[in-house]
Every structure is written in C-alpha cells, then in structure tokens.
Amino acid sequence: MTRFRITCLALGLIALGGTVASAGGSGGSGDAVELPSPELGVDVPLHQALQERRSVRRYQDRPLTLAEVGQLLWAAQGVTDSTTGYRTAPSAGATFPLEVYLVSGDVEGLAPGLYRYVPNNHTLRLRKDSDLLAGLHASGLQQESLRAAPAVLVISAVHSRTARRYGARAERYVAMEAGHASQNIYLQAAALGLGTVAIGAFDDAGVAGVLSLPGNEQPLYLMPVGAR
Ligand SMILES: Cc1cc2nc3c(=O)[nH]c(=O)nc-3n(C[C@H](O)[C@H](O)[C@H](O)COP(=O)(O)O)c2cc1C
C-alpha cells in the first residue's frame, strides 16, 4: 500500500480573511493578499484522493474559505523548495510558463475580482476588483459549472518563457505542464472535500478579454471550484 500521503488543512484551524498590504514587491501591480500558510493538518492518503478525484460540475451553495483557495493555488503552482524555486508541479527546464489566477465570486475575506497567484511568496495580487464570473460563464460557452461556482481558477501560459529554450517543442511542454497543474488541483480538491472540473472548451479571445490578459498570455484551463 502506498505510503505517500496528501495533506490537507484542518479547516477552521487557519484564520479566515486575508491581510491586504500595500502594492509593490516582485509580484506585479495591485494590492497584495497574504494567503494562509499551506500548512497542513489532516492527512488524506494519496490513493484515496486519486480514487475520489472526479469532475464535479455542481457545488454546494456556500462560500469558499481563503484557506481552501490558498491550498488549491499552492497545489497548482506553490513553491516547495525556496532555494531553487521549484514547485509542486514539474516544469520543462524550470522555465515556469504557467500563471494561475483566482476569479473570486464568493470567497470569505476576499472581494469579488481577479487575483494573480504569486508562487514565490504565496500571495494574491489584485488585478481587477469587479465580479467577472458572469463574463467567464459567457466566454465559457455558458457551461453550468461556471455559473454555479463560488470561484474559478484559471491556468494560463506565457509560451515564450519555454520557447526561448525549447523552440517549437515548447508547445507540447506547456500543454503538459497545464495538465500537471490541473491534476494537482483536482487531487487537492478531492482531499479537501471540494469539487472541480478542468474546462478546456471556451472562447479563447473572450476569456482573455474578460481577464484582460497580456497579449503574450494564453488561457488554457478554467477550473470552477466549490464544495462538493
Ligand atoms: C483537456 C480537457 C478538456 C476538458 N474540457 C471540459 C469542458 O470544457 N467542460 C467540462 O465539463 N469538462 C471538461 N473536461 C472534463 C472531462 O469531461 C472529464 O474529465 C471526463 O468526462 C472524465 O470524467 P472524470 O474527470 O470525472 O474522470 C475536460 C477534460 C480535459 C482533460
């Protein structure tokens, strides 16, 4: 039997609500929101999370906590070695082409809006302070899971970071990396009793427009998330 274990936080032990600090630092523009530490409490065996991983498209009508979204973001791209900057998911040549965003609708302690996850210091950077979920639902081909979710994680990619080193092969490497990050989110959601689904069918330009993504960034996955 596997001895690998996925840890998940003991809900309620971690304080709710983010600390809003002033803009600045290495994470880009916008207010910074400190996320609860991805320190961990309850153990869920990896084989159990794998067994329970499922695409979930309906969610309970309750908000997510900041600890829950923080844990999901950490699972997607969190830094696990502060010396190298290496992350929870592998990256071709450690070129780290992925960006992860949180589109918040109903998250305790977090105003609705668009936030960029900054792996190096496990914070969020506010990008837009308006509710973007309706726009995401429209650009996501009106998929019901996008309408129902209290929050959506978006995985996007800056291909040039990887193409600089690997040329045309970067296209497949970047897609592979999005898959790694997405599976991490799936497994972490299962371990937390949350549900998510990897959505690849959407209007690329529409999603990029709703999120005001830079021109060199391509959205790859939308992952609505909520309580199972
Ligand atoms: C690349 C990719 C794109 C997907 N796109 C969508 C999507 O647009 N909408 C959706 O509801 N599910 C989407 N899914 C989820 C699949 O429908 C789902 O994984 C499949 O039905 C198997 O179910 P399971 O994930 O519960 O095992 C996608 C999955 C992958 C891997």
Side-chain angles (χ1 to χ4, degrees):
M1 176 174 301
T2 178
R3 287 288 162 228
F4 291 107
R5 299 180 84 77
I6 286 185
T7 45
C8 68
L9 52 135
L11 298 177
L13 292 182
I14 297 177
L16 297 175
T19 306
V20 178
S22 59
S26 58
S29 62
D31 290 337
V33 178
E34 290 175 18
L35 291 164
S37 162
E39 281 323 321
L40 317 164
V42 178
D43 283 345
V44 174
L46 177 58
H47 56 76
Q48 186 182 331
L50 285 164
Q51 174 63 37
E52 291 176 1
R53 186 213 65 80
R54 197 87 284 142
S55 291
V56 177
R57 299 176 179 85
R58 292 175 178 214
Y59 315 103
Q60 284 180 38
D61 186 18
R62 75 143 170 95
L64 292 170
T65 67
L66 200 59
E68 286 171 329
V69 296
Q71 194 73 21
L72 291 167
L73 291 160
W74 175 82
Q77 283 290 286
V79 171
T80 48
D81 184 328
S82 58
T83 308
T84 59
Y86 289 178
R87 303 182 182 178
T88 50
S91 174
T95 51
F96 301 118
L98 301 184
E99 296 287 339
V100 184
Y101 296 91
L102 175 72
V103 181
S104 157
D106 193 7
V107 177
E108 289 175 356
L110 207 56
L114 173 70
Y115 299 82
R116 188 175 79 88
Y117 180 58
V118 184
N120 286 348
N121 58 9
H122 190 57
T123 60
L124 291 172
R125 287 276 175 180
L126 179 65
R127 279 287 185 90
K128 292 175 93 122
D129 63 359
S130 53
D131 193 337
L132 302 177
L133 286 178
L136 223 44
H137 174 241
S139 300
L141 314 183
Q142 284 87 37
Q143 295 194 49
E144 183 62 18
S145 55
L146 288 167
R147 196 196 59 75
V152 178
L153 269 58
V154 180
I155 300 173
S156 72
V158 181
H159 282 76
S160 57
R161 292 179 192 161
T162 305
R164 214 172 284 135
R165 184 178 306 189
Y166 295 110
R169 208 161 180 81
E171 190 176 351
R172 74 166 67 181
Y173 286 169
V174 169
M176 289 169 179
E177 291 195 30
H180 299 314
S182 170
Q183 179 75 355
N184 284 1
I185 294 169
Y186 262 117
L187 292 176
Q188 182 67 78
L192 291 170
L194 303 174
T196 189
V197 54
I199 290 185
F202 53 81
D203 171 8
D204 291 358
V207 168
V210 168
L211 304 181
S212 301
L213 293 182
N216 64 345
E217 211 172 310
Q218 180 191 25
L220 294 176
Y221 263 142
L222 308 178
M223 297 192 70
V225 61
R228 277 196 191 208

